[in-house]
Amino acid sequence: ASADQAVARIRLAAQPPCNEEHSRHMAAAKALSGAPVYVSDGPNECNMEAIAPLCFTDGRIIRPLAPGTPVYDDVFFQPDTGNAYRVMAPLPNRIATFSGTNIEGQPGNVTATFKPEMYAQASGLIQPYPGEWKMPKAGLVYFDVYAQKGGVFDQPIHFELAEFSDCLLQVSPVENGWALIGRTDKYLCGAAVERVVSSKTRLVLNLPEAGPVAIFAAYGNPKSDDIEFTDLGNHIYQATLPAGLVSITR
């Protein structure tokens, strides 16, 4: 079993009765694990706000390229140290998703710290193993999936996590002044959109279905026919894009 599946089991065994926030945390762990998804509650009892980000509307599960695994420093993780348990998973287009979880089961916050150099580790369980991912020359962009904000990832980011809570951070490489963030309503944002090609003036995406998509544009304002982009700050823009090929220019 993957490390993140183990995290999910710990949550199920140790946490109090589920509420909306706990349901989201367990669903996010399942997304990172790459494992099949099943729902044990009756249709009228399901928390769809937690379940819908796992898949497309036709039921196809959005999966990473390989199962989630601990970051190198947490392979021999010890609880009760004041630190969160951190897991990473690789997505298409050399995008990585990181999760930090407070699994200590005691009141009080723990700290989850993510550093740019941890991006190279995300390829660890891809088969055949391609080696560590190289740091892109143009740098990295982060996106806080829960807070729906991000920016240039050039220094450590810290999260303070309360009991049985987590954080979800996506890291994307910058190429030709663009970075794909992806479907912002999904746990694995970058795995829900296929980036086809990019140049200094154009980014072409392929969407399996319509939905809210965020991108990073290092310069210029992105535009596309009859599509209005919203500026989320720090050069990140979001728009509701149609299914199929979408061409974005600046």
Side-chain angles (χ1 to χ4, degrees):
S2 74
D4 219 58
Q5 287 172 300
V7 172
R9 286 198 295 271
I10 290 171
R11 290 174 178 168
L12 284 168
Q15 73 180 31
C18 272
N19 59 27
E20 182 175 340
E21 186 175 1
H22 293 144
S23 297
R24 182 193 70 182
H25 299 161
M26 290 191 292
K30 179 63 73 172
L32 279 164
S33 76
V37 175
Y38 63 90
V39 179
S40 58
D41 295 329
N44 296 329
E45 298 175 344
C46 291
N47 179 1
M48 293 309 299
E49 290 187 5
I51 295 172
L54 286 164
C55 59
F56 295 112
T57 55
D58 62 4
R60 283 178 295 161
I61 300 171
I62 301 169
R63 288 190 167 113
L65 293 178
T69 188
V71 301
Y72 290 173
D73 288 344
D74 288 356
V75 170
F76 299 105
F77 177 77
Q78 295 293 325
D80 302 321
T81 60
N83 296 315
Y85 180 54
R86 297 164 298 174
V87 172
M88 57 191 174
L91 308 185
N93 297 302
R94 291 183 176 267
I95 295 172
T97 294
F98 293 85
S99 173
T101 308
N102 182 346
I103 61 174
E104 293 192 0
Q106 301 294 329
N109 290 357
V110 300
T111 302
T113 298
F114 300 96
K115 302 176 182 180
E117 54 265 33
M118 294 166 66
Y119 168 79
Q121 306 173 13
S123 60
L125 286 188
I126 296 176
Q127 296 298 319
Y129 179 54
E132 289 192 341
W133 281 350
K134 294 182 179 179
M135 183 70 69
K137 294 181 180 180
L140 299 167
V141 170
Y142 76 90
F143 187 72
D144 183 335
V145 178
Y146 295 156
Q148 295 282 287
K149 63 180 181 181
V152 174
F153 189 27
D154 56 4
Q155 57 187 349
I157 297 174
H158 308 279
F159 292 87
E160 294 298 317
L161 303 177
E163 181 184 9
F164 293 115
S165 67
D166 70 339
C167 58
L168 198 59
L169 188 77
Q170 181 175 287
V171 178
S172 304
V174 179
E175 181 181 353
N176 293 319
W178 303 100
L180 171 63
I181 293 170
R183 283 283 298 271
T184 55
D185 59 338
K186 305 300 182 184
Y187 296 124
L188 304 182
C189 307
V193 177
E194 179 183 349
R195 183 175 64 175
V196 178
V197 67
S198 70
S199 68
K200 292 183 177 180
T201 59
R202 185 180 302 274
L203 174 67
V204 179
L205 307 176
N206 185 21
L207 278 69
E209 67 178 25
V213 174
I215 60 172
F216 170 86
Y219 53 89
N221 295 318
K223 54 187 177 181
S224 187
D225 294 340
D226 301 321
I227 295 173
E228 182 178 350
F229 284 87
T230 300
D231 188 346
L232 301 183
N234 295 326
H235 300 279
I236 294 178
Y237 300 86
Q238 179 176 274
T240 299
L241 302 184
L245 291 175
V246 177
S247 179
I248 302 170
T249 59
R250 56 186 166 196

